[in-house]
Amino acid sequence: MTTPQTMNAPATLHRPGRGRWIEAWDPEDSDFWRSTGRRVAARNLGPSVFAEFLGFAVWASWSIVVPQLAAVGFILTVDQQFWLIAVPSLVGAALRLPYTFAVPLFGGRNWTIISALLLLLPASALAFVASRPQTPFGVLLLVAALAGLGGGNFASSMANISFFYPEREKGKALGLNAAGGNLGTAAVQFAVPLVIVAPAGLQLGRAGLMFVPLLLLAAFLAWRLMDNLTSAKADYRAFGAAVHNRHTWIISFLYVGTFGSFIGYSGAFPTLLKSQFPEVTLSIAFLGALVGSLARPLGGVIADRWGGARVTIGAFAVMAVAGAGAVLALRESSFALFLGSFLVLFVATGMGNGATYRMIPAVFQLGASTPERAARARKAAAGCLGIAGAIGALGGFLIPRGFAVSSSVAGSLQPALALFVAVYLVMGAVTWAVYVRRGSLMSGAGV
């Protein structure tokens, strides 16, 4: 049996030619965790958060670039603009599951380096096409799709960090990792309007070039500070167990409404501002993603006290009210009401993200009366997290496309917002019926 003393040494073990690998890792061993594990895990968490932050920033880069394209000579229809905003989310959602399995296959350190360097493709391609208004729309769409590579980073980063931390500290570590990533959306929407300004006019290519040194730094930090774990293994049975559990699909549906709304509104908000209130500066567009990102950990904290299902229901109720406020703002042409409604909407999506995420372990632990069942439940919950994260990201595609169809058919955003309000009410009702309603199987579990 391996003792804590013998386990301390492998934490810095290197395999020549294969990068830095840790042979033995047991964060559940208290002595090991205190003497070695916590320090090594924290050393890996920092570069992981930075790389994921950049992944989200690249993923969201087209959200703030699209409203600026007309100013540099591009001629695009409303439908084409929303396609450029929506397609990165579709690609990012599709990549989340394979990126999760890349960590056990290549190693967390190695994959962080690879995935950071892969982001040089969408960044450099954006820099190239953004300064060429003659670029065909099909090429623009392909370059926007490359930004979806950043959407996969969330899944691989979360999977990697989950291997480093003990169960009792996973929630905090993954919460920091997720919040750091989400802030990348706000950061890029804040930075791009500042970076592209030049005496000779807008230099939109800088929106891509600004990522190049940061991505190289992220790859260097991962190479210098991170580790691979030989104990990080792909658990296909966990995904199989999650696939066959109906709660995986119920929670995934709810996550489309919370996380998917955050990504969808973050992508569309700058274009909505530009189209509905052209006199307003785009420099405020980052506020939505910022408050939504900051609200995510708060939603988790409140859910720990009151239960994830109840907080999720509250989030959907607030989202419905805020969505109705946005409809009224468009009817009254009130910028103040529009901005206020969307900021409330963003806060509610962020809190809903944290609360829905909190529901997953509680749901899967129900009935786990033995250590063996509890272990299987944790694995199934991990599989659910991966599946829900991938499906939830589809909201980033559905919401911009909803706005596009609404604009094309009705000439207004109001039908799309009204539909979203109805969907939030349905999602809140489903959450209540399955997890809170008295007499339901989950009602007494404190989900």
Side-chain angles (χ1 to χ4, degrees), residues 336-378:
L337 180 58
F338 185 82
L339 178 62
S341 297
F342 261 92
L343 290 183
V344 172
L345 192 56
F346 274 108
V347 170
T349 64
M351 294 188 68
N353 284 347
T356 308
Y357 218 66
R358 154 68 173 76
M359 289 171 60
I360 295 174
V363 167
F364 281 84
Q365 283 295 328
L366 184 65
S369 54
T370 66
E372 292 78 14
R373 288 182 178 179
R376 288 198 297 269
R378 284 194 296 270

Side-chain angles (χ1 to χ4, degrees), residues 356-424:
T356 308
Y357 218 66
R358 154 68 173 76
M359 289 171 60
I360 295 174
V363 167
F364 281 84
Q365 283 295 328
L366 184 65
S369 54
T370 66
E372 292 78 14
R373 288 182 178 179
R376 288 198 297 269
R378 284 194 296 270
K379 291 182 178 181
C384 177
L385 288 172
I387 294 170
I391 294 176
L394 289 173
F397 173 79
L398 296 173
I399 285 179
R401 292 308 306 155
F403 283 133
V405 172
S406 181
S407 297
S408 299
V409 174
S412 170
L413 302 176
Q414 295 179 36
L417 285 167
L419 175 61
F420 299 154
V421 167
V423 171
Y424 296 144

